[in-house]
Amino acid sequence: MLQSHFIIEFQKYLLKWYKENRRDLPWRRTVDPYYIWISEVMLQQTQVDTVIPYYEKFITHYPTMHALAQAPQEEVLKHWEGLGYYSRARNLQAGVREVVENYDAQIPSDRKTLLNVKGIGPYTAGAILSIAYQKPEPAVDGNVMRVLSRIFQIDEDITKAKTRKTFEQLVYTLIPEDDASPFNQGLMELGALICKPKTPLCEACPLSHLCQARQAGKQTDYPVKSKKLKQKGIHYVAVVLQDDQGRYLIQQRPSEGLLAGFWEFPLQEISASTDEVLPSAEQFIEETFGTLSIKWSVCEETAQHIFSHLKWQLNVVQGKVLSGQVPSLQEKPMRWIAETELKDYPFPVPQQKIMKIARIAY
DNA sequence: TAATCGTGGCA
DNA sequence: TTGCCAAGATT
């Protein structure tokens, strides 16, 4: 059990350090729960410098919850393009619609209700409650677990879901009643700027005199986390097809799963060898349109894209339809679009790499 | 619980 | 180059 003088000491040094060292970030110039919500979702598993331009653009386009609620989903995805983890965008919009419809556009201020809103989990709920509503609630992210696991030499594996609860209980004992926002943000800022994963700057740390790992010289042994497996490799051929008018064939991905709802040049999975590249492309066209007269060229350059759990190897084949008539597409989620229209569709990064290889402007 | 879901930075 | 890492949520 922690003694009260330790807790007071912890709060005092952390709050003083945060007050003097906090970065001036766009979302720190407001306490509007809607803007805090957007920033927290964008910051999930994403670095601050990456988020800043997306945040600025997003709140300009969707300054109110009503604006976001009424926007077409594909337009929202377009604004999220390149930021990754696209279910965040769909869930954010779904959550905002829930709040507009069920709570008269007032974001709930209690944890239980907040957790029922789409896209809001334990961390984001705590962040909104503490930062926007000044409530003494924990907001435990990777920074907080790293900082606290070092200070208290906590050995639990932070990759396990239930470990977060251990840290939440600890934060409940540490967090000050009246300074919840700077306390939570201070813990995260300390993790980001000082208590870094590889090379913690303990000499500059305001809590080093309270840190057990530091006293034991074992800072980099914490946090404890199990290793993750290597990405599984998959080989594809991207089929870049143009009709006689120079339009490109693009296809929409399914509404669930990887890169849901995004557009792409049709991908055909192949086994590793390159001698399958052209036959696979031809097979795709055969299955989609039947027999067509096409002038093919195989691109020498290939692309690679690494996801959290997958590694794509991409070959590119370009084809031009020689005959005038292209069969109709029926119910397939495909379209023929002009090169100038590509910019109106959301394309994920691997597709942008394919465009570069195929020398298509985007 | 464990797997899924992006992308860019960095040692 | 490779692996790790970043203000996690969902299923």
Side-chain angles (χ1 to χ4, degrees), chain A residues 230-245:
Chain A
K230 199 173 170 183
Q231 295 95 348
K232 180 184 165 191
I234 309 179
H235 292 252
Y236 289 102
V237 189
V239 181
V240 180
L241 189 68
Q242 280 183 291
D243 69 3
D244 59 327
Q245 301 173 44

Side-chain angles (χ1 to χ4, degrees), chain A residues 70-317:
Chain A
Q70 291 164 10
Q73 188 187 85
E74 193 160 308
E75 180 191 289
V76 177
L77 273 184
K78 185 69 189 173
H79 288 291
W80 210 274
E81 181 187 74
L83 194 54
Y85 284 145
Y86 301 102
S87 65
R88 292 185 296 177
R90 287 180 285 113
N91 289 337
L92 173 61
Q93 188 182 31
V96 164
R97 286 174 174 167
E98 287 176 32
V99 170
V100 168
E101 290 171 19
N102 302 339
Y103 307 115
D104 191 29
Q106 301 299 305
I107 295 172
S109 59
D110 65 284
R111 180 175 283 268
K112 197 175 225 172
T113 313
L114 263 185
L115 286 174
N116 284 324
V117 176
K118 202 74 174 169
I120 297 183
Y123 165 75
T124 304
I128 293 173
L129 291 170
S130 60
I131 298 172
Y133 294 126
Q134 322 302 323
K135 291 202 167 189
E137 291 283 331
V140 174
D141 71 338
N143 286 307
V144 173
M145 288 195 282
R146 184 172 59 259
V147 170
L148 296 181
S149 71
R150 286 172 175 167
I151 293 176
F152 297 96
Q153 285 194 300
I154 294 169
D155 292 313
E156 287 183 61
D157 183 347
I158 66 163
T159 67
K160 306 281 185 189
K162 78 173 195 183
T163 300
R164 193 198 64 254
K165 295 183 181 179
T166 301
F167 287 92
E168 287 176 344
Q169 290 309 309
L170 179 54
V171 171
Y172 271 122
T173 71
L174 291 169
I175 195 169
E177 185 72 28
D178 297 323
D179 288 304
S181 174
F183 181 87
N184 279 345
Q185 293 193 74
L187 276 181
M188 293 188 277
E189 194 79 336
L190 191 65
L193 301 182
I194 303 292
C195 196
K196 300 195 282 187
K198 306 268 190 175
T199 56
L201 310 175
C202 299
E203 306 72 25
C205 180
L207 301 180
S208 62
H209 64 298
L210 303 175
C211 183
Q212 295 179 20
R214 160 74 161 170
Q215 288 169 28
K218 294 184 174 178
Q219 299 92 314
T220 51
D221 290 350
Y222 297 90
V224 174
K225 53 196 307 188
S226 53
K227 291 176 183 154
K228 51 183 174 186
L229 343 67
K230 199 173 170 183
Q231 295 95 348
K232 180 184 165 191
I234 309 179
H235 292 252
Y236 289 102
V237 189
V239 181
V240 180
L241 189 68
Q242 280 183 291
D243 69 3
D244 59 327
Q245 301 173 44
R247 297 179 306 178
Y248 290 98
L249 179 69
I250 62 168
Q251 174 172 212
Q252 191 171 30
R253 296 180 62 87
S255 58
E256 291 184 353
L258 184 68
L259 303 171
F262 274 75
W263 292 82
E264 63 187 12
F265 297 99
L267 297 178
Q268 262 308 85
E269 186 173 350
I270 55 173
S271 62
S273 68
T274 54
D275 51 316
E276 281 193 51
V277 169
L278 188 53
S280 298
E282 289 173 328
Q283 182 192 339
F284 167 77
I285 297 301
E286 168 78 30
E287 289 170 0
T288 307
F289 299 109
T291 307
L292 276 183
S293 174
I294 294 174
K295 176 182 174 12
W296 293 104
S297 66
V298 180
C299 299
E300 290 300 320
E301 192 182 349
T302 63
Q304 172 178 310
H305 192 78
I306 298 173
F307 297 88
S308 313
H309 56 299
L310 297 173
K311 182 193 275 191
W312 282 8
Q313 301 288 347
L314 299 164
N315 284 82
V316 182
V317 168

